[in-house]
Amino acid sequence: MDGVTVIDHPLVQHKLTIMRKKETSTAGFRRLLREISTLLCYEVTRDLEMTMETIETPLQEMQSPVLEGKKLVFASILRAGNGLLEGMLELVPSARVSHIGVYRDHDTLQAVEYFFKAPDDIAERLIIVVDPMLATGNSAIAAIDKLKERGAHNIRFLCLLAAPEGIKSFRDHHPDVPVYTASIDSHLNENGYIVPGLGDAGDRMYGTK
Ligand code: URA
C-alpha cells in the first residue's frame, strides 16, 4: 500500500500477538506496549538524515555520524498515544513532546480541539504523531490538521494497528504523511473497533474497563 510501511520484525509481531490476547493483563499489556514502542520507534526513525561531526576518540580524531537538524517531536494523541511515548522516549530521550486532544464532530465534521501543546518551532522539526489504533482515522486526521495549521509539514504517523478504512481516509486527507504500523487488520466493525484488533487500547493499558 502506497505510503504505508508494515513493520514486520519478528519481535514486533510476537509481542503484538501477546497484546492481542484477551487474557493478557493490564500490567503485561503496558509492559509489552513499552517494549514494542521502542522497536516501532527504531523503524520509524530508520532513515533520519545524518551529518558528520569531528570528534576525538582516545586514539585519534575522526569524522563520525550524528543526527542532522533539530530534535524530533513525538506528538501523542490523547489518551492512548501516551502508551507509545514512554518507550520512544527511552530510545530518543532528547525528543520534544506534544500532546493533542482532538476529536471530529460527527455533525459538522470539524476537528474539535480540547488540548494542544507543542514546541513553538514545529515547522522546523520532524513530528512523529503516535496513536496505537488507526481505526476510522478521524482523530489522527484532525490532530494532523491542527499540527499543519501551526506550520508543521514534516510529519510521520506511527500506530500499532490500522484498519484498511482508516488508512484510506487518512491517506486521502494527508497523502504527504507516511504511515507506519505493525499490522493492517481485516476491517472496522459497526462500533468503530478494529477487527480482530486488540480491543480498546486505552482501556487495556490503563485498566479502565
Ligand atoms: N480505538 C481502540 O482503542 N480500539 C479500536 O479497535 C479502535 C479504536
Side-chain angles (χ1 to χ4, degrees), residues 133 135 188 192-195 197-202:
M133 311 298 269
L188 282 183
Y193 278 90
I194 297 176
V195 180
L198 50 71
D200 186 298

Side-chain angles (χ1 to χ4, degrees):
M1 216 181 272
D2 191 36
V4 181
T5 301
V6 177
I7 300 167
D8 58 0
H9 190 288
L11 287 175
V12 169
Q13 295 302 317
H14 181 84
K15 290 175 194 295
L16 177 57
T17 296
I18 304 171
M19 293 177 78
R20 287 181 189 273
K21 291 182 184 178
K22 63 181 180 188
E23 65 270 24
T24 297
S25 67
T26 299
F29 189 92
R30 213 182 291 154
R31 182 178 49 77
L32 285 157
L33 186 58
R34 185 168 44 72
E35 292 170 1
I36 212 170
S37 60
T38 56
L39 298 166
L40 298 177
C41 184
Y42 181 83
E43 291 293 340
V44 77
T45 55
R46 169 178 284 287
D47 62 346
L48 292 188
E49 280 186 34
M50 309 292 296
T51 185
M52 299 306 272
E53 188 177 287
T54 308
I55 62 164
E56 270 184 57
T57 76
L59 300 184
Q60 68 168 59
E61 195 176 279
M62 69 173 288
Q63 293 286 305
S64 197
V66 290
L67 292 173
E68 164 108 298
K70 290 202 166 198
K71 304 278 186 273
L72 303 180
V73 176
F74 296 149
S76 166
I77 301 180
L78 300 173
R79 79 181 153 149
N82 282 2
L84 285 174
L85 270 182
E86 203 185 323
M88 294 181 68
L89 286 170
E90 249 171 54
L91 211 57
V92 190
S94 59
R96 306 307 191 232
V97 176
S98 166
H99 290 97
I100 306 172
V102 74
Y103 65 91
R104 190 159 285 245
D105 185 284
H106 287 302
D107 299 325
T108 64
L109 296 183
Q110 291 302 307
V112 181
E113 177 186 303
Y114 64 89
F115 190 84
F116 187 96
K117 204 84 178 159
D120 289 337
D121 54 355
I122 50 173
E124 297 156 41
R125 296 176 188 266
L126 169 62
I127 323 282
I128 300 176
V129 179
V130 298
D131 192 350
M133 311 298 269
L134 183 64
T136 61
N138 288 349
S139 47
I141 290 166
I144 290 170
D145 284 344
K146 294 298 172 190
L147 285 164
K148 286 184 174 175
E149 279 168 22
R150 287 160 167 96
H153 56 85
N154 189 9
I155 305 173
R156 300 176 183 189
F157 180 77
L158 174 65
C159 61
L160 194 52
L161 293 187
E165 299 90 330
I167 291 177
K168 173 159 190 341
S169 178
F170 182 91
R171 295 283 303 161
D172 286 349
H173 282 84
H174 295 298
D176 57 315
V177 179
V179 173
Y180 295 78
T181 183
S183 174
I184 302 173
D185 274 16
S186 165
H187 63 279
L188 282 183
N189 72 11
E190 60 284 5
N191 298 317
Y193 278 90
I194 297 176
V195 180
L198 50 71
D200 186 298
D203 284 344
R204 292 210 60 191
M205 74 180 77
Y206 296 122
T208 42
K209 204 152 188 208

